Amino acid sequence: MTAALGLGTYRCPDVTGAALMAASRGADWVDTAPNYEHGQAETSLAEVLAAHPGLRVSTKVGFVPVNAKDLALRAGVLTAGDADRGHCLAPDYIAWQLDRSKRLLGRVPDVVFLHNPEHGCGKNEISSRLHAAFVALEEACSQQLISAYGVATWRGISSGLFDVPMLLELAAKAGGPNHHLRAVQLPISLVHLAPVAQALNGHGPLADAAAAGLEVFASAPLHGGEIPGMVTPELSELINPGWSAAEVALAVVASTPGVKRVLLSTGSPEHWTQAAEAVGRPPLSPDLLRRVVDVLGT
């Protein structure tokens, strides 16, 4: 395929176990966030990262972990309103959370994503919110708190609130031509097929990211485990009748032009091995991907 398989830790009840399993089976990337595993995900990953120095890690900033809310309030980096909303991208909070993430992980994260910057934000506010956050992230890069940053979004791009060219423009404004924006993360699956269709036609977020040298992380490739039950016999027959529904779904995502990493949340060795085999096969042809889009629509 055109992509590598990485571990996503959203909804993983045992992050340590899942990361150890994935690392022992060749995973080179794990993606997490301070609010995952009830606020314990970064702490849970520390021992795995120490034992596997070649395992790269990305985390996020935005959603406020329940177990860190009072700490942030006492530190004066979180307002009561943002604490109630559970989400904050104010520069002071970003700096505080990045320092905390580095300490909990036990190392500098390879990428830090702004986590759903569209959360509670309208069209008139998003540009200023992103720019202020990028300035804070560029400062963190200069202080070696992080190596690079990106944007992880669920609906910010699909809703038209922002696009990759806008992100690049704001990053250049915040950090100059040598800015540290390196990645975007968005849902790509048989449910979220619009990015696939756009990429096949040479436009959209994946094409824009590829042109700028940004790494694309595909999140929720199985849509929270729902997709295998949605794969029809017709679709399986079209792609490969011998594959499982999960293999079919993962093959489509991993074959999409521009996708560099597919993030799978699982602690099951069986599911991981099956997914690694699916992602490791030769990519599906663009013509076949177009037929999948025609069958399912966007």
Side-chain angles (χ1 to χ4, degrees):
M1 297 295 177
T2 60
L5 186 65
L7 178 69
T9 56
Y10 181 58
R11 292 185 176 177
C12 274
D14 178 9
V15 169
T16 300
L20 285 170
M21 178 277 300
S24 70
R25 285 162 176 78
D28 70 343
W29 198 288
V30 57
D31 178 75
T32 195
N35 57 307
Y36 292 175
E37 199 186 35
H38 308 292
Q40 296 298 320
E42 292 177 324
T43 301
S44 296
L45 280 174
E47 65 179 88
V48 184
L49 294 172
H52 297 272
L55 184 63
R56 301 175 71 191
V57 61
S58 51
T59 189
K60 304 181 182 75
V61 62
F63 288 103
V64 181
V66 174
N67 61 348
K69 190 177 295 186
D70 289 342
L71 291 173
L73 284 167
R74 288 198 298 270
V77 298
L78 188 68
T79 67
D82 285 338
D84 289 340
R85 284 186 289 272
H87 189 272
C88 182
L89 287 177
D92 285 349
Y93 176 74
I94 289 176
W96 181 85
Q97 179 59 64
L98 294 181
D99 180 68
R100 184 172 185 268
S101 291
K102 179 183 175 183
R103 286 186 285 105
L104 294 180
L105 290 168
R107 72 159 75 158
V108 173
D110 294 279
V111 175
V112 171
F113 289 101
L114 292 184
H115 202 175
N116 291 4
E118 68 271 18
H119 186 82
C121 193
K123 189 72 174 179
N124 294 333
E125 308 166 81
I126 191 65
S127 179
S128 58
R129 173 184 282 193
L130 285 167
H131 177 252
F134 285 0
V135 169
L137 290 166
E138 290 289 346
E139 177 63 21
C141 288
S142 71
Q143 295 177 0
Q144 299 183 329
L145 284 173
I146 61 175
S147 299
Y149 62 90
V151 173
T153 178
W154 185 255
R155 62 172 188 85
I157 291 176
S158 62
S159 68
L161 196 61
F162 53 83
D163 57 18
V164 172
M166 177 180 173
L167 298 179
L168 290 164
E169 179 182 348
L170 292 171
K173 183 179 176 183
N178 297 318
H179 62 78
H180 294 83
L181 177 65
R182 295 289 184 269
V184 291
Q185 184 180 142
L186 69 160
I188 304 172
S189 68
L190 296 182
V191 171
H192 297 277
L193 268 177
V196 179
Q198 293 167 338
L200 290 169
N201 292 320
H203 62 86
L206 306 189
D208 290 338
L214 301 184
E215 191 164 1
V216 174
F217 291 67
S219 62
L222 299 181
H223 201 64
E226 297 176 17
I227 281 179
M230 301 164 58
V231 174
T232 64
E234 177 187 13
L235 186 59
S236 293
E237 183 71 26
L238 174 64
I239 294 177
N240 190 311
W243 292 357
S244 69
E247 287 175 296
V248 167
L250 289 167
V252 170
V253 176
S255 300
T256 300
V259 172
K260 294 303 180 186
R261 293 192 181 273
V262 180
L263 298 175
L264 179 69
S265 293
T266 183
S268 165
E270 179 184 357
H271 292 166
W272 181 270
T273 298
Q274 185 183 64
E277 290 175 354
V279 172
R281 294 186 180 113
L284 306 178
S285 70
D287 285 344
L288 183 50
L289 289 175
R290 288 190 178 92
R291 291 169 66 188
V292 171
V293 172
D294 289 342
V295 168
L296 295 178
T298 58

